[in-house]
Amino acid sequence: MTIDFDLTLFIKETQLQHGLRAEDYTRYHHYTTNRLAALRQQLSLSNDKKRFLRKEVTVQNATDARHLMLLALYAERCWAEAEAMQVQLQAKKEARGGDANKPKGGVAPADQYRKRLNKSVKWAAKLTEVANAVASERVQQECTAYLKDTAGRCYAAHGKFKEAKEAFLLARETYAALRSTSTETQWIVIASKLNELDDRATYCMQRLGEDPSSYHPAPIFHTHGGATGDEGVSLQVGGASQLSWNGRTLSVFSIKVKDALREAQAVEVEATEVKLRETRGPVPVGQSNRVLDLMDRRINYYNDALAHARQDLRAAQEGVGKTEYQLIVHCILFHVAHETLRRTLFLAALYSRRFEATERTLRAGGRQLSSGSAAASSPQVMKHHSQQQQQQQRKKKSEISPTQFASPLEVVRLYQAAAGSVEEMELLPGVAGRDDVESLQAVCLAGQLFYTGESWRVSQAWVTAMPFYRDALVMLREATGPYVADLQELIEQRLMQGAAEVVLATSPSASSATAAAVGYLNEAGKETVGVAQGIMRFPPDFQAAPCKPVFVDIASTFVDYPMEEEAATEVAASQKGGNGNTSGAKPKEAKKKGWFGWGS
């Protein structure tokens, strides 16, 4: 029974899922080490703790696809360790100014990674040997192509670029021969492998002093006659080997630049954005954040490509080649500015929807307040109105939350930022004056004018807002593009609504029914400002409160108070007869006022 499994898909998924998507070779090396230990234990190939017994995968014991996976992971582990050593060596050189410490004996640190690459070739050769005996024909071809690819990388590390180029071309031919036995899913993975081999072949040609433009590989995809009747139509995969810029075709030979551009083009921003723009009303936060994350990912890939292209430009020699590198940098700068513009315009559309929802919500709240104040005094009617208000509030809460309220001035700022991106694009040579760039500039200016008019409309100043609407519509007359139609339709609707509002405002019935507008709150009087019922004024007004204090006089017993008339006459009589009084009798004292009245 022959062994059959998809070797190329297995290696590609393992690399992308465990570190190589971010070029983290150390993480990939750790994963392959742990995975090898698990596979050896599952296949009973682990060594005894007390006595070492060399257990290897041979033609006799290879009965499972996991045996081939084990050999492939051995080769991948050696290659990942070699790449990690190169990264560490480069970082050490940069930290020490290019002077790395070398030991007195043994292999220099700069050459240690080559030993690991030699080991990876040995494991790939053993994988091919075992697969030729126990695997299917397709697996045999994949193992042979993998061996040639591994050998080419080892040759390139040793400086043998001629042998490396031949190995890469043989690997490409072997992979291309798998087209007849591959499904569409398998062929997409192999096509990405073919692109990598093309990049390595052109790199070897550059190091050998050959002209990379003379390399013309066979097209990767061919669509044969089908429903459309097309035959032999070649489709470009990746689209990063050649760039079109201002009527010129630029060839990109840097592997890192091409990989970054391919990753940027592979991000599905357009489909997700179109699907989201088809919806109505405010966009949920989760969906909008997903689109923004995709846009940020594409911008980051373009920035990576720009950084590598600038490095190639600095290292290039003077001449025609350096001019082409400069044009590649200009092209990538244009793409970065264009994607930033797209992101800003998407945010402007997002905030414009939030502004419309905010206006509807606040307008609905105003209608509820006016209807409640004009309701009848009947309890049943009041209860009915309160129920209606609660139902309407529940509906409005589901549309937009107060934390997402937006104003038209926020949209104006976003269009200003978009205009700044267009200005960055126009700084590049040959971009200013292009029709597509002029249309984008017109959209940004029209957006600023329109939402400035919206801010005046919200303030009920239709007369001031109408000129902004007209100027915005004039800006879009000669503009074309995906952003023009929706904005132009919105401006025309506002112009019609504004014309109707101006007519109603100038009519005598409307002027008599409406009160005069107040410019500032400090000029408002009691006629224009009403106070809601059931609300207390704070702080309260000053009011005089009566108070009756209680005084306790402890000296009241020592004070002479006025006496009654009888007592006064007796005192006077006693004073008159005082001279003839010989008996010595004391006169009668008058009564004093006590605590609770006279004479107590």
Side-chain angles (χ1 to χ4, degrees):
M1 181 178 179
T2 59
I3 299 175
D4 190 9
F5 86 108
D6 198 340
L7 175 65
T8 308
L9 180 62
F10 166 72
I11 294 176
K12 195 69 175 178
E13 287 182 347
T14 306
Q15 290 177 350
L16 294 179
Q17 293 177 5
H18 299 92
L20 291 198
R21 189 183 297 274
E23 297 184 359
D24 190 353
Y25 296 102
T26 304
R27 175 188 167 192
Y28 185 54
H29 176 255
H30 291 167
Y31 169 76
T32 52
T33 302
N34 296 333
R35 182 72 183 276
L36 283 170
L39 282 176
R40 290 184 66 89
Q41 188 174 5
Q42 293 173 7
L43 298 173
S44 300
L45 295 176
S46 57
N47 296 319
D48 193 1
K49 295 182 178 179
K50 296 183 179 180
R51 186 176 60 179
F52 176 77
L53 295 176
R54 190 177 183 84
K55 298 181 180 180
E56 298 180 351
V57 178
T58 60
V59 177
Q60 290 75 21
N61 62 2
T63 58
D64 194 352
R66 290 178 293 178
H67 291 92
L68 300 182
M69 292 181 185
L70 187 72
L71 296 175
L73 287 175
Y74 272 124
E76 286 292 305
R77 182 178 68 170
C78 295
W79 170 74
E81 186 177 3
E83 294 292 337
M85 292 172 66
Q86 281 187 290
V87 173
Q88 293 176 0
L89 182 64
Q90 185 66 26
K92 188 181 295 184
K93 285 184 178 180
E94 293 177 356
R96 298 178 181 177
D99 184 16
N101 294 333
K102 295 183 180 181
K104 295 181 180 180
V107 182
D111 300 329
Q112 287 282 355
Y113 72 95
R114 294 189 178 94
K115 296 176 62 177
R116 306 308 301 164
L117 289 175
N118 295 340
K119 195 71 173 179
S120 66
V121 174
K122 292 181 180 180
W123 284 112
K126 188 171 184 178
L127 171 65
T128 305
E129 179 186 354
V130 175
N132 290 335
V134 301
S136 61
E137 182 179 358
R138 175 183 170 81
V139 179
Q140 294 177 14
Q141 292 179 347
E142 285 187 280
C143 292
T144 303
Y146 180 71
L147 173 60
K148 295 297 181 182
D149 184 18
T150 308
R153 287 182 289 188
C154 184
Y155 282 133
H158 286 279
K160 301 178 180 180
F161 294 103
K162 185 177 181 180
E163 292 82 355
K165 175 187 172 183
E166 294 175 357
F168 289 143
L169 293 178
L170 288 175
R172 191 188 191 283
E173 292 179 3
T174 309
Y175 276 122
L178 296 173
R179 180 68 181 93
S180 58
T181 59
S182 301
T183 61
E184 293 298 329
T185 305
Q186 292 174 338
W187 183 243
I188 290 174
V189 179
I190 294 175
S192 64
K193 192 67 178 179
L194 293 178
N195 283 322
E196 294 178 4
L197 292 172
D198 290 337
D199 296 339
R200 291 167 184 162
T202 54
Y203 173 74
C204 293
M205 293 176 69
Q206 283 183 320
R207 296 300 300 267
L208 292 172
E210 301 177 1
D211 186 11
S213 61
S214 61
Y215 177 67
H216 299 289
I220 297 175
F221 282 107
H222 290 280
T223 58
H224 302 284
T228 59
D230 296 332
E231 295 182 0
V233 179
S234 63
L235 303 176
Q236 189 177 3
V237 176
S241 58
Q242 289 184 346
L243 297 176
S244 297
W245 174 245
N246 287 336
R248 297 184 57 175
T249 301
L250 306 176
S251 299
V252 182
F253 302 110
S254 176
I255 297 176
K256 293 184 178 180
V257 175
K258 293 171 71 173
D259 290 342
L261 292 176
R262 284 176 186 148
E263 292 292 339
Q265 294 176 2
V267 180
E268 298 179 355
V269 176
E270 291 80 4
T272 311
E273 183 181 2
V274 169
K275 187 182 296 183
L276 199 62
R277 285 181 179 272
E278 291 176 355
T279 60
R280 298 293 181 183
V283 181
V285 178
Q287 297 181 10
S288 61
N289 288 342
R290 182 173 180 271
V291 178
L292 292 174
D293 290 341
L294 292 175
M295 292 180 175
D296 292 339
R297 189 182 305 173
R298 174 175 285 186
I299 293 173
N300 291 335
Y301 281 130
Y302 275 124
N303 285 327
D304 293 341
L306 179 62
H308 295 311
R310 283 175 170 167
Q311 290 181 359
D312 297 338
L313 176 62
R314 287 191 292 267
Q317 298 179 357
E318 295 292 339
V320 180
K322 189 165 186 178
T323 303
E324 190 167 357
Y325 282 121
Q326 184 67 54
L327 294 177
I328 292 173
V329 171
H330 289 173
C331 181
I332 300 175
L333 280 172
F334 179 82
H335 283 293
V336 172
H338 188 271
E339 293 300 325
T340 306
L341 174 66
R342 170 183 288 179
R343 186 183 188 277
T344 309
L345 291 178
F346 174 75
L347 281 174
L350 187 68
Y351 273 81
S352 64
R353 292 190 182 188
R354 291 183 181 179
F355 161 63
E356 294 174 359
T358 302
E359 188 179 6
R360 289 193 298 267
T361 303
L362 296 179
R363 188 183 300 165
R367 284 201 301 266
Q368 293 168 9
L369 180 60
S370 60
S371 61
S373 60
S377 59
S378 174
Q380 297 179 355
V381 176
M382 293 291 293
K383 183 178 181 181
H384 177 68
H385 277 284
S386 62
Q387 292 177 356
Q388 286 184 349
Q389 292 176 5
Q390 292 176 1
Q391 293 176 0
Q392 291 177 0
Q393 286 178 357
R394 293 193 192 100
K395 292 180 181 179
K396 294 302 176 183
K397 285 180 181 178
S398 62
E399 184 176 7
I400 187 172
S401 62
T403 57
Q404 297 180 355
F405 283 177
S407 68
L409 295 180
E410 296 181 55
V411 188
V412 172
R413 296 189 191 98
L414 288 171
Y415 274 108
Q416 289 176 353
S421 299
V422 176
E423 292 176 358
E424 293 179 2
M425 296 163 60
E426 290 179 343
L427 292 176
L428 299 173
V431 177
R434 286 171 42 173
D435 294 338
D436 54 347
V437 178
E438 292 295 330
S439 298
L440 292 174
Q441 184 71 26
V443 169
C444 296
L445 295 177
Q448 296 179 46
L449 292 171
F450 173 70
Y451 283 99
T452 304
E454 287 287 278
S455 63
W456 286 106
R457 179 186 64 81
V458 171
S459 303
Q460 300 298 326
W462 281 97
V463 178
T464 310
M466 291 297 288
F468 288 98
Y469 295 151
R470 297 191 190 95
D471 294 341
L473 188 61
V474 170
M475 295 294 299
L476 296 177
R477 281 182 179 176
E478 298 180 357
T480 57
Y483 306 102
V484 177
D486 296 338
L487 186 58
Q488 190 171 4
E489 182 181 359
L490 193 58
I491 294 172
E492 291 175 352
Q493 292 178 359
R494 284 289 183 267
L495 283 172
M496 296 176 62
Q497 183 181 358
E501 291 289 341
V502 170
V503 171
L504 292 175
T506 55
S507 62
S509 59
S511 60
S512 61
T514 59
V518 179
Y520 299 93
L521 290 177
N522 57 3
E523 299 177 359
K526 296 182 179 179
E527 296 81 6
T528 57
V529 178
V531 180
Q533 297 181 0
I535 297 178
M536 298 180 63
R537 184 181 181 87
F538 184 84
D541 296 333
F542 173 78
Q543 294 181 358
C547 182
K548 184 178 180 180
V550 177
F551 295 96
V552 178
D553 192 358
I554 60 175
S556 60
T557 57
F558 302 97
V559 177
D560 293 332
Y561 289 93
M563 295 172 285
E564 297 179 356
E565 296 180 357
E566 296 179 356
T569 55
E570 292 179 0
V571 170
S574 62
Q575 290 178 356
K576 291 180 179 180
N579 298 327
N581 188 5
T582 59
S583 61
K586 296 182 179 180
K588 187 177 180 181
E589 296 181 357
K591 295 182 179 180
K592 299 181 179 179
K593 186 177 180 182
W595 288 100
F596 301 100
W598 297 97
S600 59

